[in-house]
């Protein structure tokens, strides 16, 4: 594997934090069912509830408001599916932004087949939500809930979540935010944001894959998804991933301890990367808001350049970068997020820094990109010209 300083796909997954690894290993010997009252079950329950209290403290929540899940996607699904199913007799409309993670649209499609209507609110060219249209939509009759990302997974733009939550509260509409890109990277306090539900994922901030959590404000009903047993106060079926929960909790605690300095460091790295791409990479376009964005994500595109080719070329040179939308689509597919902000038919290159990224790694990438992009665009052009000259004989 290449130097971890050259890994630039932290928005997708992060290396396991040392504290998370230690907590995971320590919890492996605790095999009891947390619902049992024997000593093995009680020890498992202790670890589970200690973790719940720690996660809650990190979010400004109460322990009984935290539900453990298998990751961000399940947290999003449980938040949206579970909450609207619990109050479906009150309406049928769900409002989301036009740049949500595919998890939101996936559960939305499932609900549409069950008679619900999903309304997508447009964003501007920086991916910021149209708050006036959002307010109009949530005030319409039969609106049950709204869901808007805290920060976009591809271009990094942050949304005015506290204002959106206030509008929903005034309209008596539930509000959910997908905070997978901000928890562990920025201060996130559910009471200050005013949200009813908030999703997070362990592997976004140094925890293991396959574990996440959902904040559910006291008084908000959530139907179990999927149904099956009485885990997590009857809000989620399936035995909890105890080692994963312990590791995620340790990772979040460590991330919060380092939050201020690390966020500033990552912001400086992203600024350095954005400036280098803007000044030196031919025909590159940067996307997302210049200032209202999460510290770790930089997104650019280059017209006429195949993303998979660039990703492989950089990987050969020791740089791991993302391409296309997270969790959905091939690297060469046009980006739905870029389409929503007025750049249709264009693949994106999301780069994201993390706790192992160095200035030297950023400088090496910026030094390499101009010549590599020129070279690959030349290859693409030559291939296109060759194809244009080749004609398949027409059949009689």
């Amino acid at each position: 594997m290449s130097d971890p300083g050259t890994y630039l796909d932290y928005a997708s997954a992060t290396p396991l934090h040392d504290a998370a690894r230690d907590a995971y290993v320590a919890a492996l010997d605790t095999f009891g069912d947390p619902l049992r009252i024997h000593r093995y079950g009680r020890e498992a329950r202790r670890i589970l509830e200690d973790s719940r209290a720690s996660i809650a403290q990190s979010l400004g929540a109460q322990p009984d408001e935290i539900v453990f899940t298998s990751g961000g996607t399940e947290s999003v699904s449980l938040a949206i599916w579970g909450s609207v199913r619990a109050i479906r007799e009150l309406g049928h409309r769900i409002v989301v932004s036009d740049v949500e993670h595919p998890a939101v649209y996936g559960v939305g499609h499932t609900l549409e087949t069950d008679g619900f209507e999903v309304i997508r609110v447009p964003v501007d060219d920086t991916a910021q939500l149209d708050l006036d249209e959002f307010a109009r939509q949530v005030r319409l009759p039969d609106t049950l809930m709204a869901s808007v990302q805290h920060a976009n997974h591809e271009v990094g733009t942050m949304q005015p979540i506290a204002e959106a939550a206030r509008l929903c509260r005034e309209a008596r509409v539930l509000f959910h935010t997908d905070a997978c890109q901000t928890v562990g990277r920025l201060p996130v306090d559910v009471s200050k944001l005013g949200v009813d539900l908030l999703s997070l994922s362990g592997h976004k901030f140094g925890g293991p894959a396959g574990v996440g959590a959902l904040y559910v404000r006291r008084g908000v009903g959530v139907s179990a998804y999927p149904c099956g047993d009485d885990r997590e106060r009857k809000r989620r079926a399936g035995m909890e991933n105890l080692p994963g929960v312990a590791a995620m909790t340790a990772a979040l605690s460590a991330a919060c301890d380092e939050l201020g300095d690390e966020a500033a460091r990552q912001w400086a790295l992203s600024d350095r990367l954005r400036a280098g791409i803007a000044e030196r990479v031919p025909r590159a376009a940067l996307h997302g808001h210049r200032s209202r964005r999460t510290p770790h994500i930089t997104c650019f595109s280059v017209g006429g350049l195949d993303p998979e080719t660039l990703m492989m070329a950089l990987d050969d040179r020791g740089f791991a970068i993302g391409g296309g939308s997270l969790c959905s689509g091939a690297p060469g597919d046009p980006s739905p997020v870029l389409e929503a902000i007025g750049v249709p038919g264009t693949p994106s290159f999301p780069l994201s820094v993390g706790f192992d990224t160095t200035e030297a790694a950023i400088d090496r990438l910026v030094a390499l990109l101009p010549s590599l992009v020129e070279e690959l665009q030349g290859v693409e052009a030559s291939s296109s010209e060759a194809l244009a000259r080749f004609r398949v004989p027409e059949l009689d």
Side-chain angles (χ1 to χ4, degrees):
M1 182 177 291
S2 61
D3 177 353
T6 62
Y7 179 78
L8 294 171
D9 199 14
Y10 281 83
S12 178
T14 58
L16 196 63
H17 195 285
D18 288 344
R21 180 178 289 104
D22 291 343
Y24 189 95
V25 172
L28 286 174
D29 290 331
T30 306
F31 57 86
D33 184 336
L35 292 183
R36 299 302 189 196
I37 63 172
H38 50 59
R39 69 185 65 183
Y40 303 100
R42 293 198 305 271
E43 177 58 16
R45 171 62 61 179
R46 182 192 65 77
I47 293 174
L48 197 64
E49 296 310 322
D50 285 352
S51 297
R52 199 184 308 277
S54 178
I55 296 285
Q57 183 178 23
S58 297
L59 299 177
Q62 298 300 315
D64 63 350
E65 296 175 315
I66 303 300
V67 181
F68 291 120
T69 69
S70 64
T73 295
E74 187 193 341
S75 295
V76 167
S77 297
L78 177 57
I80 299 174
W81 187 94
S83 60
V84 300
R85 294 281 298 188
I87 56 173
R88 65 175 306 162
E89 72 279 0
L90 301 179
H92 67 278
R93 300 177 80 253
I94 302 162
V95 178
V96 303
S97 87
D98 213 12
V99 288
E100 295 299 306
H101 188 276
V104 170
Y105 301 134
V107 70
H109 177 71
T110 299
L111 288 167
E112 283 175 328
T113 64
D114 198 22
F116 291 89
E117 182 183 8
V118 179
I119 309 299
R120 292 170 63 152
V121 176
V123 296
D124 64 17
D125 59 2
T126 70
Q128 282 237 300
L129 182 71
D130 183 336
L131 265 180
D132 291 337
E133 179 61 16
F134 179 81
R136 189 181 77 82
Q137 289 294 342
V138 298
R139 289 169 183 156
L140 290 178
D142 294 328
T143 303
L144 292 177
M145 83 168 303
S147 180
V148 179
Q149 261 186 336
H150 197 187
N152 184 259
H153 55 287
E154 194 168 334
V155 300
T157 297
M158 295 190 66
Q159 302 292 2
I161 294 302
E163 178 64 12
R166 183 188 64 80
L167 292 169
C168 286
R169 203 161 46 248
E170 291 174 352
R172 297 188 178 182
V173 168
L174 290 176
F175 184 75
H176 164 255
T177 188
D178 166 8
C180 289
Q181 292 297 335
T182 52
V183 170
R185 292 189 171 105
L186 291 170
V188 175
D189 187 310
V190 293
S191 60
K192 291 180 181 178
L193 291 176
V195 299
D196 298 300
L197 305 114
L198 179 144
S199 300
L200 62 91
S201 183
H203 72 276
K204 302 296 187 182
F205 49 78
V211 64
L214 172 67
Y215 159 77
V216 182
R217 182 178 59 77
R218 284 178 177 174
V220 174
V222 173
S223 298
Y225 174 84
C227 303
D229 58 24
D230 293 340
R231 305 280 172 174
E232 297 299 300
R233 294 177 174 83
K234 299 185 179 181
R235 295 177 293 194
R236 189 254 182 182
M239 190 166 177
E240 296 89 351
N241 173 4
L242 193 66
V245 166
M248 174 177 69
T249 303
L252 183 55
S253 179
C256 289
D257 286 344
E258 303 160 357
L259 204 58
D261 292 342
E262 185 58 19
R265 194 185 72 85
Q266 291 185 22
W267 184 274
L269 289 172
S270 294
D271 269 353
R272 194 181 189 95
L273 181 56
R274 288 174 65 88
I277 291 172
E279 294 169 6
R280 301 184 60 179
V281 180
R283 293 177 292 282
L286 289 163
H287 305 292
H289 201 281
R290 290 182 60 88
S291 58
R292 291 192 290 273
R293 56 182 172 84
T294 191
H296 63 298
I297 296 177
T298 296
C299 182
F300 76 101
S301 63
V302 180
L305 182 61
D306 176 55
E308 192 167 353
T309 303
L310 179 59
M311 290 170 64
M312 292 175 63
L314 284 172
D315 191 54
D316 286 343
R317 292 158 176 80
F319 291 92
I321 72 165
S325 180
L326 296 180
C327 308
S328 178
D333 291 344
S335 163
V337 173
L338 295 196
E339 184 169 349
I341 65 175
V343 191
T346 305
S348 65
F349 300 105
L351 309 174
S352 43
V353 301
F355 52 79
D356 277 335
T357 312
T358 64
E359 285 188 0
I362 297 299
D363 291 344
R364 288 197 303 270
L365 178 65
V366 169
L368 173 63
L369 273 174
S371 59
L372 187 59
V373 167
E374 287 280 18
E375 176 187 338
L376 294 178
Q377 283 184 323
V379 170
E380 293 291 326
S382 299
S383 300
S384 299
E385 291 170 5
L387 287 172
R389 289 194 299 269
F390 180 74
R391 293 288 183 270
V392 178
E394 294 183 3
L395 299 177
D396 294 332

